[in-house]
Amino acid sequence: MIKARVTVTLKNGVLDPQGKAIEHALDALGFGGVGSVRQGKVFDIEVDSTDKAKVEADLNAMCDKLLANTVIENYAVEIA
Amino acid sequence: MIKARVTVTLKNGVLDPQGKAIEHALDALGFGGVGSVRQGKVFDIEVDSTDKAKVEADLNAMCDKLLANTVIENYAVEIA
């Protein structure tokens, strides 16, 4: 059993209205000095396998096919 | 300027229908052996400050007040 964490974030330059809304909400709550907020997604995935290299290749393929929109998003795969 | 990453994940035992849907979609795409998928959120936050301890305390307060629902979610704050 291999545990992995995939983090998907918006590329620089892509507008993030959700992040902007959070930024304003934090400001309204009195948290000063919040410069920028960008929201992304995280996936904790367990794979039944012992072959780390294959799992890493599979996870990259999962990101390309389903988990991330590579036109506007970056992804990072970390294997625990 | 301090950059931080806040990761919000569902607590164990809390149902994650979105994660289940991704699990089934990955299976349908032919990725075998995917045991479990849990989806969470990630926030990349920039704070104009040089006081790491205060920023960390602020970020924990932001999570408690806005970013996470602590009834069903855990959060982790990492300062870069």
Side-chain angles (χ1 to χ4, degrees):
Chain A
M1 175 75 74
I2 291 175
K3 289 188 183 195
R5 169 162 283 187
V6 173
T7 310
V8 176
T9 50
L10 282 173
K11 289 185 178 173
N12 284 335
V14 177
L15 284 178
D16 182 5
Q18 199 171 3
K20 275 275 167 235
I22 295 167
E23 210 177 301
H24 294 143
L26 287 173
D27 201 55
L29 282 172
F31 294 105
V34 175
S36 118
V37 180
R38 308 273 290 168
Q39 186 172 359
K41 283 171 279 189
V42 65
F43 302 95
D44 288 316
I45 302 179
E46 289 179 8
V47 185
D48 280 318
S49 169
T50 50
D51 180 350
K52 280 204 179 186
K54 185 177 180 303
V55 168
E56 192 163 0
D58 272 359
L59 287 166
N60 282 308
M62 287 176 200
C63 289
D64 286 324
K65 285 197 186 163
L66 182 76
L67 301 178
N69 175 355
T70 54
V71 176
I72 56 166
E73 290 171 328
N74 292 319
Y75 61 82
V77 172
E78 285 165 76
I79 292 187
Chain B
M1 176 73 74
I2 291 174
K3 290 188 184 195
R5 169 162 283 187
V6 173
T7 309
V8 176
T9 49
L10 283 172
K11 288 186 178 173
N12 284 335
V14 177
L15 283 179
D16 181 4
Q18 200 171 1
K20 274 276 167 231
I22 295 166
E23 210 177 299
H24 293 142
L26 287 173
D27 201 55
L29 283 171
F31 293 105
V34 175
S36 118
V37 179
R38 307 276 288 169
Q39 185 170 1
K41 284 172 278 188
V42 64
F43 303 94
D44 287 316
I45 302 180
E46 288 179 10
V47 185
D48 280 319
S49 169
T50 50
D51 181 348
K52 280 203 178 187
K54 185 179 179 302
V55 167
E56 191 163 0
D58 272 0
L59 286 166
N60 283 307
M62 288 176 199
C63 288
D64 285 325
K65 283 197 187 163
L66 183 75
L67 301 178
N69 174 355
T70 53
V71 176
I72 57 165
E73 290 170 330
N74 292 320
Y75 61 83
V77 173
E78 285 166 77
I79 293 187

